[in-house]
Each structure stands twice: as structure tokens, then as C-alpha cells.
Amino acid sequence: DNETVYIDSDEDLVSAIKDQADGQTWVFTEAGEYDAKNTEEGSNGTYKFESTYAYPFAFPIVANDITITKAEGVGEVTITSSYEATTANWHDQNFITVYGTGLTIDGVNILGNKNTAVDGNGEKWYGGLCNKAIEFTPSASNFTLKNMEVKSLVNEAGKKSSGSIYVSCTNVGNSSIENVKMGSYISSADSVEGTLTITNLEQDYTDFIYAGEPGYLYGVKPAAANNLVIDGLTIYVDNNSNLAEQAFSERVYDGTTVVLAAGEYDISALRINKAVNLVGQDDVTLKGSIDYITNANNAEINISGLFFEADNTNTNHALNFSALKNSKINVNDCDFKGYQFGIGVNSQATGNTLSVS
């Protein structure tokens, strides 16, 4: 217990994975990208621990209370694997698969491995990218991910995904995700006990491989019964996404900020039921109207950098707030064209303050 394992080469990382033990701290002492592919003869690039599963994984963590970090002053460190999965079976869908409790990853980035398996139509599963960057299995709990990026892979078509963070813990314990950037979603649907706290999470869905596809929702999938606390969620999208279904579903929360990349968005009559901030980057045109139907109380909604242009679905208003209570509405640097009213606040939306600049 409490052993420190120093890592400055691919060989060191491979040894750390094979010889992992409870309570270890893995410290990367040099900046760079590290390849976790198992180089042992007959391993096929993967690792098999008989106590966990009948098939091998790209990067399993089976010991408890492992900490993965870097030495003070060391530049960017990224763990990846050149192992390319050739099946769509569960064990080949994940880059990191966690069985142990108490895992901490602090200041070390993750870049998932590619999957080259093909389906019955000859298409690559997951677009040839990683399905799940990290999966916490039912036995895992009390994990911490912080000050890190789950980096996106890019396929031949220029589409991106980091792979998801998938929380399958039976009891998540007291787990946290803090100051993390990624290019996919988080699922906590299978966690039935404990508390998962997410702070300052950024998700980049620009050029996302599943943009516009039904059923692929952005944000954080709510847990079935556990306590999910979210304080700071920023989602980046472009006009390939279906905003109504993907960016403004039940997987976003009051206080979420949605940042729109430059372009024209046909939003029709978009309805938003959370106190979500909207930010336009560069030239953003929204053709249609937005109705905030949230009844949030004591919220603050910031909308900036958008050009609203009326379409045939609504020429009455560009923005409307129908049920908001005792909240602040700040609209900055927005233009409106073709509407009778730019901004409307219904009589049922009481106690609010509107600021326009």
C-alpha cells in the first residue's frame, strides 16, 4: 500500500498496469503521450485479469485506491493506446475499464483507442472511434476525475468523439468530476446510490460524429435514483446538431451554457424548459423563435451574440419567457429582424428583471 510508481516511458506504463496494486500512486515524470498497449507476446495489446472478466481489456484498473497524476511542473501528459479494437463486444468498447474503488485521475489526459470493427453493412462501429473512454463498472465507486481532458479522436470524415464517461456503479459513493473537458456525454443512469458531483464540465460537440442523429443526447444523462449535483456545464455545438433534441433535452440543467459556433441555425419554434444560457460565437443566425417555458425560480439567464431572424413559424417574437420567476434575464449584443416584438415576458412570469444592452 501507498507505493509510488514513477512513469516516464511506455514500458513503465505497461508495467504499472500489469503490476497494479491497492493504494498505488502513479506519477508521470515527463510530459508527452504514453501508449498503454500491452507489448507482451500473445497479449494482442490488451490485459486480462482473471478476477474480473473472461475477456481482456485495453486498459483495466482492478486495484483499489489507485491515483494517476503527474509530478509538479511537468507539462501535458496524455495516456492513449495504439491497440485497435476489432470487435464491438463490451470488453472492446472501452478504453479504460474500472473495477476498483477509489480511482483518482488528476491532471492526466485520456485519448481513447480506436475501434476498427465493422457492422453488417460494412460500416465501422462508432465511426471507427472510441465508444466509451472510461467505464466505471458496478463494483467501482468513490472515483475522482479532475483537471484533465478526455480528448477527441477524429475519423477519416473529420468527425469527432472522445468516447463517453459511463458510470455503471451500483453505488457511486462520493464521486466527483471537476474541471474536465471532453467530446461526448456522461451517463450516470445506472448509479442507484451515492452522490456524483460534477463541477465545471465542458463538452465539445462541434463536428460530433453523432450530430443530428436521433437518440444521441448531449450533456449528462440523469441517474436513476442517486444524487446528481451539477455546478457548471458548458456545451459547444454547431449547426450539424439537432438543437431541440440533442442540446436542450433532459440532460441539460439550470445554469447550463450552450455555445453556438458560427453559422445559420433553423430552429423553428424552439422550446427550452431549463434556465439555460445561450452564447453565439462570431456570426450566429437563428431562424425562428425561442420560448423559455421553464418555471425556474431565482435563476439567471444570459443570452448574447445572436442574430434572430423570423421565419414562417413565428413573426410575433424572437424570445419569450412564459413562467420564469424572480429571475434575471440579460440579453446582450443581439439583433432581431422580422418580428413584431424582439423579447416578450408573459404575465405569468413574475418578479423578473430584464436587462438589454
Side-chain angles (χ1 to χ4, degrees):
D1 287 349
N2 303 317
E3 177 189 9
T4 300
V5 178
Y6 295 101
I7 300 172
D8 66 5
S9 66
D10 296 344
E11 292 78 14
D12 286 347
L13 176 58
V14 170
S15 294
I17 297 171
K18 290 195 292 187
D19 299 332
Q20 60 186 272
D22 292 354
Q24 287 180 334
T25 297
W26 302 358
V27 180
F28 288 84
T29 59
E30 299 287 341
E33 186 172 280
Y34 291 78
D35 190 348
K37 182 178 180 179
N38 192 351
T39 53
E40 184 177 340
E41 185 176 354
S43 69
N44 192 35
T46 57
Y47 304 82
K48 186 176 181 181
F49 289 84
E50 298 292 346
S51 61
T52 59
Y53 194 65
Y55 296 94
F57 294 99
F59 185 166
I61 296 178
V62 300
N64 299 320
D65 302 316
I66 294 283
T67 296
I68 302 174
T69 188
K70 62 183 180 181
E72 185 176 353
V74 170
E76 184 173 319
V77 172
T78 299
I79 299 174
T80 187
S81 176
S82 58
Y83 166 69
E84 295 187 352
T86 57
T87 79
N89 297 328
W90 174 66
H91 67 281
D92 254 349
Q93 292 182 27
N94 306 343
F95 174 41
I96 298 177
T97 306
V98 183
Y99 279 86
T101 64
L103 172 68
T104 295
I105 302 178
D106 181 4
V108 174
N109 301 327
I110 300 300
L111 177 65
N113 61 306
K114 293 185 176 181
N115 192 307
T116 59
V118 295
D119 62 21
N121 297 317
E123 300 291 332
K124 288 183 179 179
W125 283 95
Y126 326 117
L129 306 181
C130 181
N131 185 33
K132 291 175 281 186
I134 306 175
E135 177 165 358
F136 295 91
T137 66
S139 64
S141 66
N142 296 309
F143 65 82
T144 300
L145 305 177
K146 64 180 180 179
N147 307 319
M148 61 177 291
E149 181 177 358
V150 185
K151 293 189 168 186
S152 289
L153 293 160
V154 184
N155 67 12
E156 297 89 340
K159 298 302 181 181
K160 302 186 303 183
S161 174
S162 67
S164 65
I165 297 174
Y166 204 89
V167 183
S168 299
C169 311
T170 300
N171 185 339
V172 76
N174 290 308
S175 294
S176 64
I177 296 172
E178 179 181 359
N179 299 329
V180 171
K181 298 180 180 180
M182 62 186 302
S184 189
Y185 66 89
I186 293 177
S187 173
S188 56
D190 298 317
S191 301
V192 294
E193 296 181 33
T195 300
L196 174 59
T197 301
I198 297 175
T199 308
N200 298 331
L201 172 67
E202 296 185 21
Q203 297 179 329
D204 185 356
Y205 295 98
T206 57
D207 296 317
F208 187 50
I209 189 170
Y210 300 119
E213 292 197 21
Y216 288 91
L217 310 184
Y218 303 164
V220 180
K221 188 175 181 180
N226 78 329
N227 187 7
L228 178 64
V229 179
I230 296 184
D231 181 15
L233 171 61
T234 301
I235 293 174
Y236 298 86
V237 301
D238 58 21
N239 58 7
N240 295 310
S241 297
N242 181 330
L243 294 186
E245 179 184 1
Q246 294 185 297
F248 299 108
S249 70
E250 72 276 5
R251 297 188 185 182
V252 300
Y253 303 83
D254 290 343
T256 297
T257 296
V258 176
V259 181
L260 306 175
E264 184 175 288
Y265 297 75
D266 292 316
I267 62 173
S268 187
L270 178 61
R271 293 162 66 87
I272 301 176
N273 65 358
K274 300 288 175 62
V276 174
N277 304 308
L278 292 177
V279 177
Q281 286 185 323
D282 300 320
D283 296 323
V284 175
T285 298
L286 303 181
K287 301 192 72 173
S289 61
I290 295 178
D291 284 283
Y292 276 86
I293 59 174
T294 175
N295 62 357
N297 191 29
N298 291 316
E300 183 170 350
I301 297 176
N302 298 291
I303 300 170
S304 64
L306 303 173
F307 174 58
F308 291 83
E309 186 174 358
D311 66 1
N312 57 11
T313 63
N314 187 353
T315 58
N316 179 263
H317 60 267
L319 278 168
N320 186 60
F321 301 86
S322 61
L324 197 65
K325 300 289 191 296
N326 305 309
S327 298
K328 295 180 180 179
I329 306 165
N330 303 310
V331 181
N332 302 311
D333 193 26
C334 291
D335 293 316
F336 307 93
K337 179 181 178 181
Y339 306 93
Q340 185 176 358
F341 304 101
I343 305 170
V345 181
N346 289 6
S347 58
Q348 292 85 359
T350 58
N352 302 297
T353 301
L354 173 62
S355 173
V356 179
S357 61

